[in-house]
Amino acid sequence: MTISIRLALPADVRGINALVEPLAHSGILLGKDLVSFYEAVQEFLVAVDEDGTVVGCGALHVMWEDLAEVRTLAVSDALRGTGTGHRMLEALLQRARDLGLARVFCLTFETEFFSRHGFEEMAEIVDPELYSQLLRSPDEGIAEFLDLARVKPNTLGNTRMIAHL
């Protein structure tokens, strides 16, 4: 089976949702409404099979001038262990490099997977000026990056990780 990775299109959103929904129900990923996926479609890459079916997805959300978050990285159960997830993550990290970003954050249960791509548990202190700017954002991913108490119920058991590109 040939899998290709490309920029997501609005027509891919229902396929993205189909991958994410079961993982959201099991607490692995945060669930999102379809409208949220449509609003963020330009952040997504998808892995598609020869028939054009979405079999993987992942997003790169820019948070600051040098910082982005990998979000919603998922691969269909049938393709787990085939390297598709690794290819998706590498493509997202390349997008970050192409944008001139120096750091990529993720919140994950899959620490070994992300470690193989240079991510480490986040121990760095956020610069006070950056912290005060990021606090103004309503984005939940930024709240997770800042480790704010209001997102703790959604992040229990997850590890905050960061890669320096």
Side-chain angles (χ1 to χ4, degrees):
M1 176 185 300
T2 302
I3 304 297
S4 59
I5 296 174
R6 61 168 172 75
L7 293 172
L9 303 170
D12 297 320
V13 166
R14 292 191 185 273
I16 292 168
N17 188 61
L19 285 173
V20 172
E21 200 168 68
L23 297 170
H25 285 298
S26 62
I28 294 170
L29 291 177
L30 292 177
K32 296 181 181 171
D33 296 320
L34 274 176
V35 68
S36 296
F37 286 128
Y38 281 111
E39 290 173 341
V41 73
Q42 70 279 359
E43 298 179 353
F44 275 85
L45 296 178
V46 290
V48 293
D49 65 14
E50 294 127 350
D51 298 327
T53 302
V54 175
V55 294
C57 65
L60 184 73
H61 179 77
V62 175
M63 299 167 70
W64 198 247
E65 65 189 337
D66 69 336
L67 176 66
E69 178 185 9
V70 169
R71 295 182 171 181
T72 321
L73 185 61
V75 174
S76 72
D77 287 338
L79 289 177
R80 290 195 185 215
T82 65
T84 303
H86 290 283
R87 288 180 56 210
M88 290 291 306
L89 182 54
E90 283 300 321
L92 291 167
L93 293 175
Q94 187 57 52
R95 280 187 87 186
R97 288 182 196 96
D98 292 346
L99 289 170
L101 303 172
R103 300 177 295 159
V104 178
F105 162 78
C106 72
L107 183 70
T108 185
F109 291 109
E110 302 293 337
T111 56
E112 288 181 30
F113 172 82
F114 281 94
S115 292
R116 290 192 296 268
H117 294 273
F119 284 78
E120 299 174 339
E121 275 196 55
M122 198 169 136
E124 64 187 61
I125 305 296
V126 178
D127 174 75
E129 181 183 343
L130 173 60
Y131 188 90
S132 70
Q133 289 292 319
L134 291 178
L135 272 178
R136 298 175 182 169
S137 173
D139 186 87
E140 290 298 305
I142 289 177
E144 292 161 353
F145 174 76
L146 297 175
D147 203 24
L148 300 180
R150 71 178 168 86
V151 295
K152 292 292 186 195
N154 292 332
T155 61
L156 292 176
N158 281 303
T159 301
R160 295 165 59 234
M161 299 184 81
I162 197 155
H164 296 270
L165 304 179

